[in-house]
Amino acid sequence: MLIRFAPASLTAEEYDDVVAKLTADGVSPAEGLDYEISFGSGDNFRVSMVWDSKAQFDAFGARLGPILAELGIDPGEPEIVEVHNIIKR
């Protein structure tokens, strides 16, 4: 599964705060997360994640949601896409 977040407003610093909190709370690295890519500039940061299954993403999301709320970040509605193929070097 490819999960893409495009919040209305997210900075690199806010993203880094979320990652630090997830790591400190033992939530990250999450079971089933193959990889995560963050990119953007200013307050236009985006996050894409590749998961082994939607169930694993949902379990992670249940723990991510309260952390985002605590930090005052609205992730918006993620785009969820089934992956057809991944090519890695």
Side-chain angles (χ1 to χ4, degrees):
M1 301 299 308
L2 171 67
I3 314 294
R4 298 190 326 180
F5 288 95
S9 175
L10 180 68
T11 66
E13 293 78 20
E14 290 170 325
Y15 170 81
D16 291 342
D17 289 345
V18 171
V19 171
K21 180 78 172 145
L22 287 168
T23 302
D25 289 358
V27 178
S28 183
E31 180 72 27
L33 175 62
D34 190 22
Y35 58 92
E36 178 172 318
I37 301 167
S38 59
F39 55 95
S41 61
D43 67 350
N44 194 26
F45 227 64
R46 304 288 184 251
V47 180
S48 294
M49 312 164 104
V50 175
W51 288 86
D52 292 340
S53 73
K54 182 155 181 332
Q56 289 170 315
F57 167 71
D58 289 342
F60 171 76
R63 299 193 63 196
L64 172 65
I67 290 171
L68 293 175
E70 176 186 326
L71 296 174
I73 297 170
D74 178 2
E77 195 64 33
E79 178 184 6
I80 301 173
V81 181
E82 220 172 294
V83 173
H84 173 74
N85 190 29
I86 295 175
I87 299 173
K88 292 183 180 182
R89 64 179 159 141

